[in-house]
Amino acid sequence: MKEIYLGGGCFWGLDHYIGLLPGIISHEAGYANGSTEETDYGKVCSGSGHSEVVKVRYDEALLSTPELLQMYFQVIDPFSLNRQGNDRGVQYRTGIYTSDSFLLQEAAEAVRKLEAQLGRGVAVEVLPLLNYCKAEEYHQEYLEKNPGGYCHISGAAFRYAAAFREEKMKKAENP
């Protein structure tokens, strides 16, 4: 099992999207890499420096780290600094965080490949995880509870993630 934290704008959509992928053991919305160990939504919106993230635990036998990051890159605007969709502010920055040094190297390599593919630098942080705390319960699986809720990730991306999971699971059953 691997653990990584992904910031991609508002965590509602990213949390839902990640949950659709194969090999996901658990996912939860939270706050990472801010000025304090603990925080809450009000403090984050007031400038605590935390990023809205999704804590992802996954089985690398079913979903490799490069595959996970490639799927992540498909639902973010990698050039936007502190902004995704209509959301603006440092809490909406894109980033990949982990306390696993090998995963950190894999993430840095994935970002380098993305930059080479796109032909310019991106605004995706790759940093060690400094701190993390789970977001309030009403943020967990928000789009499942509120299907019409705001999300900067398109419905087509959600359908693609579900189809990707189906395809991977079929291949795993019939190697």
Side-chain angles (χ1 to χ4, degrees):
M1 180 178 76
K2 300 283 184 171
E3 186 173 283
I4 201 164
Y5 301 74
L6 302 173
C10 175
F11 47 30
W12 295 341
L14 189 58
D15 183 47
H16 181 72
Y17 177 79
I18 293 294
L20 295 171
L21 298 177
I24 301 300
I25 296 166
S26 66
H27 56 96
E28 72 180 22
Y31 311 110
N33 282 24
S35 59
T36 59
E37 290 291 321
E38 295 294 321
T39 195
D40 60 40
Y41 188 64
K43 291 174 186 168
V44 170
C45 291
S46 296
S48 69
H50 291 84
S51 178
E52 289 190 16
V53 299
V54 177
K55 176 182 180 180
V56 184
R57 289 188 176 136
Y58 60 103
D59 180 347
E60 201 170 38
L62 294 173
L63 182 68
S64 70
T65 302
E67 286 176 315
L68 171 60
L69 295 177
Q70 185 60 38
M71 294 299 288
Y72 162 72
F73 294 147
Q74 291 183 30
V75 293
I76 63 167
D77 176 350
F79 302 117
S80 290
L81 180 63
N82 300 332
R83 181 174 57 92
Q84 292 292 303
N86 294 326
D87 299 311
R88 296 178 183 347
V90 70
Q91 73 264 31
Y92 300 117
R93 67 189 182 268
T94 54
I96 305 166
Y97 313 102
T98 182
S99 53
D100 179 318
S101 61
F102 182 73
L103 279 179
L104 207 56
Q105 290 173 0
E106 280 190 292
E109 180 60 25
V111 168
R112 279 191 293 278
K113 285 181 180 178
L114 179 65
E115 289 175 331
Q117 176 187 354
L118 297 173
R120 66 181 196 174
V122 298
V124 180
E125 295 182 328
V126 177
L127 296 170
L129 181 70
L130 301 177
N131 51 51
Y132 171 80
C133 65
K134 183 178 177 179
E136 296 82 354
E137 193 55 40
Y138 67 90
H139 288 300
Q140 305 304 322
E141 298 185 2
Y142 182 86
L143 291 181
E144 285 84 2
K145 298 173 192 171
N146 303 280
Y150 165 75
C151 182
H152 68 280
I153 298 174
S154 72
F158 294 134
R159 290 187 296 277
Y160 178 76
F164 176 72
R165 179 186 64 225
E166 232 175 88
E167 181 182 321
K168 286 282 284 189
M169 298 315 284
K170 281 181 186 176
K171 285 182 182 177
E173 290 171 4
N174 303 309

